[in-house]
Amino acid sequence: MSTRWPRTRAAAGSVAVGALLLVSGALTGRADVAVLGAAPLVAGVWDWRRRPAADVSVRLAASSGVPTPGQIESVVEVGAPDDVPGVLVGVRRGGRELGEVLVAVRGTRRLPLLVRTVRTGLQEVATVDAQGIGAGAASVSVPTRPVARETVVLPARRALGALPLPPRLRGLTGAHESRRPGEGGGLRDVHPFTPGDRLRRVDWRVTARRAPDLRELYVRREHALAEAVVVLVLDSRDDVGPDPLTWRGSNPPRAQDPTSLDLARGAAASVAEAFLGQGDRVGLDDLGVRRRPLPPGGGRRQLDRIRHALAVTQPQGEPAVRLRAPRLPSGALVAVFSTFLDDEAALAAAQWRHLGHRVLAVDVLPTLHVRHLGDRERIAVRLISLAREDRLADLADRDVEVVTWRDAPEVALATLARGARRRAGAGAR
């Protein structure tokens, strides 16, 4: 199917002016005026007869490179017949015009497209259209139908130091010392030799000091190594930006501002990578969606599963009210990533703490921009902030440890880890 190539205004104007000069010169007998009009008239008619007849095509494809958090690489494939000297390619994203470029195609040409973003999850890469330009710019094609592509941006991770551990470790292997006797950990005590002890565990110095006649042997007993079970709980019900005026949903947050869900995805991915790097087991659950949670597991594949599950998580309408918090493995460390703008996440965290879990309440609300707000909006934000502060203070009173992710979370987590070392049976990596 051929595309219509209408004449441009400049070409039509030059032909009209040339024809007017030619007729005026013929009527007035001025050959010089007629010659001046003949050139643009002949050029315009010649270029119009040479207008292309084939279509211009455009396609937006994924790049062959490895995607990197923070930037999206794509390829714009433009196709045009050989008689089209140039193609104007326009790129838009999120309703904003990113730019236009005029390129020479001659068949097919691949143009690299790099989009930088602070957002994560499912999002639009760009919307691209193209318009061909005929010979001498005398004609242009009808713009192609805009083509768009979506992709999933995985959350970026940040390096964390020491992390708090649950009060009770599980398993027969791992990287942390447990309270039960075994092998691999630090010294637990020195005990008289009993059936089942190995001779290589005999401490001859203690034996010589306590039983010089060797009537009794003493062995060194160590703490066994175990692993921690960590459950990450994401609250996907809220996805708010730093501008409170966008919380109603009528206006989307700005593309350059990360939202609370972006911070929650990055925080959960960072905590998961830190624990999985130590050989612990990490699972994932969502308070906003009733679906089967990702059970705790270990290894690199588990980290990939968690990052992908975090990336595709997004608010899904009005969530159903939960009568009780989801069931979790016993003795797990629970990290709740939420804005705590309502009571549901706080109630679930308090219930888990009442059941004996160690609970971390990770606050992922972005730093608010309030300078442009009016008096009524400032009062509303202040009331919401006071209610949220009371909610977090109540969690702290219930022995739920609160961490603010926007304010040096690695320092806060390391402080909680050092405090855990003073409690019997707990430790830090």
Side-chain angles (χ1 to χ4, degrees):
M1 177 178 177
S2 299
T3 303
R4 294 180 56 232
W5 287 72
R7 189 190 300 271
T8 61
R9 292 183 179 180
S14 65
V15 171
V17 172
L20 179 62
L21 292 175
L22 183 61
V23 172
S24 299
L27 294 178
T28 58
R30 295 284 303 274
D32 55 343
V33 175
V35 170
L36 288 177
L41 180 60
V42 172
V45 173
W46 175 249
D47 290 338
W48 175 246
R49 292 178 60 88
R50 291 189 302 163
R51 68 186 186 276
D55 295 339
V56 173
S57 63
V58 64
R59 191 172 74 91
L60 187 59
S63 174
S64 58
V66 179
T68 304
Q71 62 182 21
I72 308 173
E73 295 183 3
S74 300
V75 176
V76 180
E77 298 181 354
V78 184
D82 294 338
D83 55 352
V84 175
V87 177
L88 184 64
V89 181
V91 181
R92 301 187 304 274
R93 186 170 191 267
R96 297 187 302 113
E97 189 76 25
L98 296 184
E100 291 182 340
V101 59
L102 181 62
V103 296
V105 179
R106 295 294 190 273
T108 303
R109 183 168 180 179
R110 295 168 58 90
L111 305 174
L113 176 62
L114 178 62
V115 177
R116 301 189 183 277
T117 178
V118 297
R119 298 290 183 83
T120 57
L122 181 64
Q123 56 185 283
E124 177 193 6
V125 176
T127 301
V128 181
D129 57 12
Q131 185 177 25
I133 299 177
S139 60
V140 294
S141 69
V142 176
T144 62
R145 181 175 299 177
V147 295
R149 190 176 73 87
E150 292 185 341
T151 188
V152 176
V153 180
L154 298 179
R157 298 153 294 175
R158 63 189 302 172
L160 299 177
L163 293 175
L165 295 178
R168 181 162 58 91
L169 301 176
R170 302 175 60 180
L172 301 178
T173 60
H176 315 289
E177 289 186 3
S178 64
R179 287 179 289 182
R180 53 186 178 76
E183 295 183 2
L187 178 64
R188 185 174 187 268
D189 58 13
V190 178
H191 193 269
F193 186 88
T194 58
D197 291 333
R198 299 181 180 180
L199 291 177
R200 64 185 182 89
R201 293 292 183 184
V202 174
D203 191 328
W204 296 107
R205 291 185 178 181
V206 176
T207 299
R209 185 171 59 254
R210 295 186 178 182
D213 53 358
L214 299 182
R215 291 183 178 179
E216 191 173 23
L217 300 178
Y218 289 86
V219 297
R220 297 170 58 90
R221 296 196 302 181
E222 300 174 346
H223 288 284
L225 294 179
E227 63 184 6
V229 176
V230 182
V231 179
L232 310 177
V233 181
L234 188 70
D235 185 5
S236 65
R237 299 174 302 119
D238 293 330
D239 188 14
V240 297
D243 186 0
L245 294 180
T246 63
W247 290 5
R248 293 176 295 183
S250 57
N251 297 321
R254 297 190 306 171
Q256 60 269 30
D257 293 334
T259 63
S260 61
L261 196 53
D262 295 325
L263 296 180
R265 293 190 186 108
S270 302
V271 173
E273 183 182 41
F275 276 109
L276 291 173
Q278 284 294 108
D280 297 319
R281 296 195 299 144
V282 181
L284 178 65
D285 203 350
D286 189 357
L287 284 178
V289 181
R290 289 192 175 183
R291 61 187 177 192
R292 185 176 182 181
L294 184 64
R300 180 69 187 184
R301 290 196 175 187
Q302 181 70 0
L303 178 60
D304 295 337
R305 296 188 193 100
I306 291 176
R307 293 184 67 197
H308 183 268
L310 291 171
V312 299
T313 298
Q314 56 186 347
Q316 298 184 5
E318 186 68 22
V321 178
R322 293 179 179 268
L323 299 179
R324 63 178 183 180
R327 298 181 61 181
L328 301 178
S330 61
L333 171 67
V334 186
V336 184
F337 302 88
S338 175
T339 59
F340 297 99
L341 291 173
D342 58 12
D343 294 330
E344 183 155 347
L347 290 176
Q351 291 180 24
W352 285 321
R353 184 66 191 97
H354 180 72
L355 294 175
H357 299 283
R358 186 178 185 184
V359 183
L360 302 180
V362 183
D363 178 15
V364 293
L365 184 68
T367 303
L368 301 183
H369 301 163
V370 297
R371 292 185 177 180
H372 64 290
L373 300 181
D375 293 338
R376 297 179 61 183
E377 289 83 2
R378 288 175 182 267
I379 294 175
V381 171
R382 181 57 179 164
L383 293 176
I384 294 175
S385 300
L386 289 175
R388 203 177 75 93
E389 292 173 3
D390 292 342
R391 200 171 291 119
L392 294 175
D394 182 67
L395 286 178
D397 293 339
R398 295 172 181 267
D399 200 23
V400 175
E401 296 156 309
V402 180
V403 176
T404 304
W405 191 259
R406 61 182 179 271
D407 299 332
E410 59 276 0
V411 178
L413 292 174
T415 302
L416 295 179
R418 287 193 297 269
R421 293 176 183 175
R422 295 190 292 269
R423 298 188 303 178
R429 66 175 185 86

